[in-house]
């Protein structure tokens, strides 16, 4: 994953807005930026290139983004731009559509349509993740893709929550993915967005079968993560909750080189290991942490933990060196 960082910290105050306008032009499309307080403007942006799909987590002070018809005629990447907001707000106009998007929501605009959007109104700083996706990368008819521009989605549930979690994972620790994973991750992200758009447009039947399988798998993995503490979590309960057969559930995991039970065990072990290494939980007995994450007994947990990590659960507790 190609990574670059832009910030205004070392730029003279009078040049910061213009500098970041140039950065945004490279990562999104040519825009005009304006601010009521240009002398105090600050911005930080990290750029991650995921095989042509660009992610840019950013923090910046209040600003207005404007894209005009002359700018569009001069340069149009034909992208959808999504913004996942953690803190702040976007409001303004996109074509004939008004935009009002707040924290834990996702906005969608189109680089081919004029807009004027104020970010961070009433807040000291805006925190979020921008995402640039070529419309051609979405396996949906172009007419449908055009209809999604101007929409907003909640990031608290459903596809929006899946998208937020996926983006956070990519942004917070991109080093966990090697160069060979970039194409796969880019495809997964585009499939996820296509599922979110198709559901909003009631057009899920138009998605390719592989996209439907991929988005189903992501929903299943989130379902599993939310229920790891349940000792009754089994392939049968997972399949029943998603109205599919256990055989089909096994098949979509096998296509990823895994099994359902192995995935559940892997996720439980990862959560338990996090707790074991947590200083604030150092007083909690191992068997209680094992029970918390759905293991039937401390003995089973300890044996499985050692098989996977090569050390005992006690070896990863604070103050103990891993062997």
């Amino acid at each position: 994953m190609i990574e670059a960082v832009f910030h205004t910290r070392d730029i003279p105050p009078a040049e910061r807005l213009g500098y970041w306008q140039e950065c945004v032009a490279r990562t999104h499309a040519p825009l005009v930026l304006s601010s009521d307080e240009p002398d105090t403007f600050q911005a930080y942006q990290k750029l991650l290139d995921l095989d042509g799909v660009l992610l840019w987590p950013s923090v910046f002070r209040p600003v207005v983004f404007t894209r005009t018809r002359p700018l569009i005629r001069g340069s149009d990447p034909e992208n959808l731009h999504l913004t996942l907001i953690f803190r702040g707000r976007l409001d303004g106009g996109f074509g004939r559509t008004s935009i009002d998007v707040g924290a834990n929501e996702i906005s969608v605009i189109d680089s081919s349509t004029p807009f004027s959007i104020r970010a961070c109104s009433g807040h000291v700083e805006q925190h979020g993740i921008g995402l640039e996706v070529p419309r051609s990368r979405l396996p949906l008819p172009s007419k449908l893709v055009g209809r999604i521009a101007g929409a907003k989605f909640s990031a608290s549930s459903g596809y929006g929550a899946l998208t937020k979690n996926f983006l956070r994972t990519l942004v917070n620790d991109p080093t966990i993915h090697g160069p060979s994973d970039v194409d796969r991750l880019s495809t997964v992200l585009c499939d996820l967005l296509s599922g979110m758009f198709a559901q909003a447009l009631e057009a899920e039947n138009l998605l390719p079968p592989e996209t439907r399988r991929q988005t189903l798998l992501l929903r299943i993995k989130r379902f599993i993560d939310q229920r790891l503490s349940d000792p009754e979590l089994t392939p049968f309960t997972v399949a029943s909750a998603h109205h599919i057969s256990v055989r089909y559930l096994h098949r979509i995991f096998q296509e990823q080189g895994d099994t359902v039970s192995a995935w559940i065990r892997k996720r439980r072990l990862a959560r338990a290991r996090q707790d074991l290494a947590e200083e604030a939980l150092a007083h909690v007995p191992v068997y209680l942490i094992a029970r918390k994450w759905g293991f039937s007994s401390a003995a089973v947990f300890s044996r499985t933990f050692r098989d996977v990590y090569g050390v005992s659960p006690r070896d990863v507790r604070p103050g103990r060196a891993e062997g």
Side-chain angles (χ1 to χ4, degrees):
M1 200 181 312
I2 301 172
E3 181 175 337
V5 174
F6 309 101
H7 59 75
T8 60
R9 186 177 59 239
D10 300 324
I11 306 296
E15 300 174 17
R16 288 172 184 164
L17 200 61
Y19 168 77
W20 204 51
Q21 180 171 297
E22 293 177 3
C23 294
V24 173
R26 294 198 296 271
T27 55
H28 170 57
L31 301 172
V32 174
L33 271 61
S34 59
S35 171
D36 293 335
E37 300 178 0
D39 292 339
T40 62
F41 181 76
Q42 290 279 10
Y44 165 88
Q45 175 184 335
K46 182 163 69 172
L47 177 64
L48 305 173
D49 188 343
L50 198 66
D51 190 30
V53 176
L54 304 181
L55 286 72
W56 47 289
S58 58
V59 179
F60 53 89
R61 293 180 64 84
V63 67
V64 176
F65 301 95
T66 302
R67 184 154 165 80
T68 63
R69 292 194 184 279
L71 288 175
I72 293 169
R73 287 195 295 269
S75 176
D76 185 6
E78 298 186 352
N79 286 348
L80 289 182
H81 171 77
L82 288 80
T83 302
L84 167 61
I85 300 175
F86 297 128
R87 178 187 179 192
R89 194 162 205 88
L90 296 177
D91 63 83
F94 168 77
R96 298 179 180 179
T97 304
S98 295
I99 289 179
D100 185 7
V101 185
N104 213 33
E105 292 184 321
I106 301 170
S107 69
V108 184
I109 61 175
D110 190 332
S111 67
S112 302
T113 303
F115 59 78
S116 181
I117 297 173
R118 178 179 295 275
C120 207
S121 179
H123 291 262
V124 175
E125 289 183 331
Q126 179 104 354
H127 295 244
I129 299 175
L131 178 63
E132 309 294 332
V133 185
R135 293 201 298 265
S136 60
R137 292 289 301 275
L138 300 173
L140 280 169
S142 58
K143 187 178 294 186
L144 282 180
V145 174
R147 285 170 49 196
I148 206 67
K152 72 175 179 179
F153 299 87
S154 170
S156 299
S157 60
Y159 279 108
L162 288 172
T163 301
K164 177 178 71 174
N165 292 341
F166 193 74
L167 291 177
R168 271 184 158 167
T169 300
L170 291 173
V171 166
N172 291 339
D173 192 5
T175 60
I176 64 175
H177 308 298
S180 60
D181 296 318
V182 168
D183 180 66
R184 177 180 60 84
L185 293 171
S186 177
T187 299
V188 170
L189 180 55
C190 289
D191 285 344
L192 179 56
L193 296 175
S194 296
M196 182 168 71
F197 297 162
Q199 185 181 66
L201 297 169
E202 299 182 350
E204 289 179 287
N205 61 313
L206 297 180
L207 291 170
E210 60 270 21
T211 298
R212 292 201 295 270
R213 283 198 303 274
Q214 184 62 59
T215 55
L216 173 61
L217 180 62
L218 290 169
R219 292 203 306 271
I220 288 171
K221 287 183 174 180
R222 178 169 171 79
F223 175 88
I224 289 172
D225 266 5
Q226 293 174 330
R227 292 162 177 80
L228 292 173
S229 61
D230 182 0
E232 302 301 319
L233 182 65
T234 65
F236 177 78
T237 59
V238 173
S240 297
H242 292 85
H243 311 290
I244 59 176
S245 68
V246 174
R247 182 177 179 181
Y248 184 65
L249 176 66
H250 284 307
R251 194 171 89 195
I252 61 176
F253 269 84
Q254 287 167 359
E255 290 173 356
Q256 306 294 314
D258 219 329
T259 68
V260 187
S261 297
W263 179 260
I264 293 172
R265 183 169 59 251
K266 185 187 306 181
R267 297 299 299 146
R268 282 174 166 163
L269 284 170
R271 293 293 184 86
R273 188 178 190 184
Q274 288 176 356
D275 280 2
L276 288 166
E278 179 63 49
E279 186 78 40
L281 300 177
H283 66 286
V284 180
V286 171
Y287 79 90
L288 286 180
I289 290 177
R291 183 186 301 171
K292 172 185 175 182
W293 293 112
F295 287 92
S296 57
S297 71
V300 169
F301 170 67
S302 295
R303 183 170 61 251
T304 306
F305 192 96
R306 185 180 289 277
D307 288 345
V308 172
Y309 296 119
V311 296
S312 75
R314 287 184 174 81
D315 289 333
V316 301
R317 307 223 74 172
R320 298 288 296 272
E322 288 196 30

